[in-house]
Amino acid sequence: LTITTDKERPSLFIIGSPRPLKERRLFFSEYLGTGTTIYRGGEMTDEVLKDAALEVREQEGEDYPLIVAIGSQGEQQVLNPEDPYLNDHIKVQWFGDLDGDGKMDYLIEFGEKSSRNILFLSTKAAEGQLVAPVGAYFSGYCC
């Protein structure tokens, strides 16, 4: 298997799976901040959030929203990192069933100048959780 990228539009991530991904959803979303929702070109709908099993909740007195995974039985798990500096920008990069267990997995970018792209998998979730962070890509820029 060979994967090539265009020099003008290099890939940030290559996601592989031993089986076909039926969702085939790849969302390069805009800033998720107070008073906004997830965007991809135009505004993403509540239906897409529901398909992703995600909710965005504004927090009173905070400058950033919570991004919450919702399980099939109504279980909820906040996905935001504890570090508030990583919550100034939140982007849902991808969602779907990557590990083939019938449950949602996520690739979410947290932070702007010093960001972390975190892969959450459902198969690695501890009891009482929906997903667990299994890997992170760190990036950053200055000025």
Side-chain angles (χ1 to χ4, degrees):
L1 175 65
T2 302
I3 298 172
T4 60
T5 61
D6 184 329
K7 284 170 59 176
E8 301 300 317
R9 297 179 53 175
S11 295
L12 284 178
F13 300 99
I14 298 173
I15 299 174
S17 173
R19 63 194 66 77
L21 297 174
K22 62 183 177 181
E23 285 81 8
R24 297 174 193 223
R25 290 196 177 119
L26 190 59
F27 294 114
F28 292 97
S29 53
E30 295 295 325
Y31 167 56
L32 223 177
T34 303
T36 66
T37 184
I38 304 174
Y39 288 82
R40 180 187 184 235
E43 186 172 338
M44 302 268 287
T45 64
D46 289 338
E47 182 178 323
V48 174
L49 282 172
K50 185 177 179 183
D51 286 348
L54 291 173
E55 282 186 10
V56 177
R57 297 185 187 152
E58 299 300 324
Q59 301 184 86
E60 192 172 325
E62 294 290 344
D63 291 335
Y64 63 89
L66 292 177
I67 186 152
V68 181
I70 308 295
S72 60
Q73 304 299 314
E75 320 90 280
Q76 301 181 7
Q77 180 182 347
V78 174
L79 302 180
N80 297 63
E82 290 182 16
D83 183 346
Y85 293 108
L86 291 174
N87 290 299
D88 62 347
H89 282 70
I90 302 169
K91 296 179 183 180
V92 178
Q93 299 286 13
W94 184 88
F95 66 88
D97 182 13
L98 185 62
D99 49 21
D101 65 352
K103 299 175 184 175
M104 278 297 165
D105 304 305
Y106 305 98
L107 179 62
I108 302 175
E109 179 181 330
F110 295 95
E112 182 184 23
K113 287 190 176 186
S114 179
S115 67
R116 290 184 197 163
N117 290 272
I118 301 175
L119 177 62
F120 295 90
L121 292 181
S122 54
T123 52
K124 300 296 183 179
E127 189 174 334
Q129 291 187 325
L130 298 169
V131 292
V134 297
Y137 169 78
F138 296 83
S139 68
Y141 68 88
C142 177
C143 314

